[in-house]
Amino acid sequence: MARKNLIGISMDDNPTAEASAPMTAARPIAGFVSPVARSAVPVGGITKTLGNITQKFERAQDLERQLAEGQTVVDIDPALVDGSFVSDRLGVDAAELAQLVEQIRDHGQQVPILVRPNPGAMGRFQVAYGHRRLAAVKELGIKVRAVVRELSDDQLVVSQGQENNARTNLSYIERALFAVRLEDRSFSRDTIMAALGVDKAALSKMISVVRQIPIELIEAIGAAPEIGRRRWMELADLLPKGKVSELLAILSQAQATALSSDGRFQAVVDALTRKPQQTKNARQARSWAAADKSVSVTSKAAGKGYTLALKSTDAATFGEFITEQLDDLYTAFRNSGTKATGD
């Protein structure tokens, strides 16, 4: 009687079949074939060649796994990467960018950016999110680590908005401006709400604020990270009281450009709420009265005008007297050397 195989394994089974089984579970990559076991151990250059093939195969397996997860990270020349077709920022803070450059210089780019093949330029890419990281690696002169995915326009802006909501803490006005730019490109309200993570009512307020405040004024103020929805809505309500050109002139002055973005916002509010100042001459209104109280005179300057008001019993006769003396009075005024300023 033949002895039973106590461990249940036939000696005729292919010893490599089980080992190669996991490979068949993943989609094979063209150009990479699993190395075949040999009975004899190769030596010299053949050993080196087979070693390289094995390493390539292992890398291919890892690449295939990442592809299946949609998280393949590749190194791309930053010069080939274009920005998103819709901006979500009012500039990059120089101090924050310098800090990010130092972090990447010391520790490398830990978080990849997300890009898609640029639909308008073959061989180039377009950023969904990671604009600051892209700017930082450009400064360092190194390649950018990126995940490349095929994305529709809707998918790109949703990814862009959701990543920014999670990471970069965009200010209220930047988010509102992003919403308006998307609407101007005919994106649906549902897509915009998904990108910003807001409901219909909040989105309507965002769009309303930006529609009431000219874009050039928003850009002159900047991101204003400490200014929230309520204060931007208050500014929108105040704005009809002021002229945008005058506000832009205020913000262009050296004193205003030295302020933070929040400070520039406050400067605009102050300019809109400040009470009109009296002119210098208006503050110099004078009054005179005769010793016998028979006439009193009040004089007041206003711009290029000057008024005399006469009151009391002799007001009419004294006024006529002054009128008859105007020629002589003006001649005396000119001869006195007093310069007419027109004020």
Side-chain angles (χ1 to χ4, degrees), residues 251-312:
L251 294 178
S252 66
Q253 296 173 1
Q255 183 178 1
T257 56
L259 296 172
S260 67
S261 180
D262 295 318
R264 290 193 295 274
F265 177 92
Q266 189 60 48
V268 170
V269 172
D270 290 344
L272 291 171
T273 55
R274 186 182 301 119
K275 293 181 179 179
Q277 293 183 350
Q278 294 180 322
T279 62
K280 181 179 178 181
N281 286 336
R283 292 196 302 267
Q284 293 178 344
R286 298 178 181 180
S287 61
W288 173 89
D292 60 2
K293 308 297 182 181
S294 61
V295 65
S296 63
V297 180
T298 301
S299 63
K300 184 178 181 181
K304 293 184 178 181
Y306 196 90
T307 60
L308 289 174
L310 283 66
K311 294 182 180 181
S312 198

Side-chain angles (χ1 to χ4, degrees), residues 96-342:
E96 290 182 359
L97 180 60
Q99 184 178 16
L100 183 58
V101 168
E102 289 303 313
Q103 290 175 354
I104 293 177
R105 178 184 285 116
D106 295 340
H107 307 290
Q109 183 190 339
Q110 299 297 314
V111 181
I113 68 174
L114 176 63
V115 301
R116 71 172 179 177
N118 192 330
M122 183 161 305
R124 298 188 64 81
F125 302 90
Q126 192 172 55
V127 177
Y129 58 73
H131 289 84
R132 293 191 305 165
R133 278 163 276 170
L134 177 62
V137 299
K138 281 182 177 179
E139 271 200 35
L140 292 170
I142 61 177
K143 290 187 175 182
V144 62
R145 301 179 68 240
V147 173
V148 183
R149 292 182 189 162
E150 291 287 348
L151 299 170
S152 67
D153 287 352
D154 280 13
Q155 289 171 328
L156 184 142
V157 298
V158 170
S159 296
Q160 181 176 351
Q162 290 181 348
E163 175 71 7
N164 284 335
N165 290 340
R167 290 185 181 278
T168 56
N169 296 323
L170 292 181
S171 69
Y172 177 81
I173 198 62
E174 285 179 309
R175 286 160 52 81
L177 194 55
F178 183 50
V180 167
R181 286 168 175 166
L182 292 178
E183 185 174 68
D184 289 345
R185 287 179 171 268
S186 301
F187 284 93
S188 70
R189 286 287 178 100
D190 288 340
T191 298
I192 302 173
M193 286 188 291
L196 292 171
V198 296
D199 60 22
K200 187 175 181 179
L203 178 60
S204 295
K205 291 177 181 177
M206 284 180 169
I207 292 175
S208 175
V209 166
V210 176
R211 295 298 185 200
Q212 293 180 71
I213 304 175
I215 298 297
E216 59 267 28
L217 182 58
I218 293 175
E219 292 176 341
I221 292 172
E226 300 300 322
I227 307 300
R229 175 186 61 82
R230 181 182 60 81
R231 296 196 65 196
W232 277 105
M233 293 182 71
E234 289 174 354
L235 175 58
D237 292 337
L238 285 170
L239 197 56
K241 298 179 182 179
K243 296 180 180 179
V244 173
S245 59
E246 294 177 359
L247 297 174
L248 292 174
I250 291 172
L251 294 178
S252 66
Q253 296 173 1
Q255 183 178 1
T257 56
L259 296 172
S260 67
S261 180
D262 295 318
R264 290 193 295 274
F265 177 92
Q266 189 60 48
V268 170
V269 172
D270 290 344
L272 291 171
T273 55
R274 186 182 301 119
K275 293 181 179 179
Q277 293 183 350
Q278 294 180 322
T279 62
K280 181 179 178 181
N281 286 336
R283 292 196 302 267
Q284 293 178 344
R286 298 178 181 180
S287 61
W288 173 89
D292 60 2
K293 308 297 182 181
S294 61
V295 65
S296 63
V297 180
T298 301
S299 63
K300 184 178 181 181
K304 293 184 178 181
Y306 196 90
T307 60
L308 289 174
L310 283 66
K311 294 182 180 181
S312 198
T313 56
D314 287 345
T317 55
F318 185 52
E320 289 178 1
F321 175 79
I322 293 175
T323 302
E324 292 172 357
Q325 304 297 320
L326 286 177
D327 287 340
D328 293 339
L329 288 172
Y330 187 71
T331 299
F333 162 74
R334 299 296 293 179
N335 291 336
S336 69
T338 303
K339 183 178 180 182
T341 62

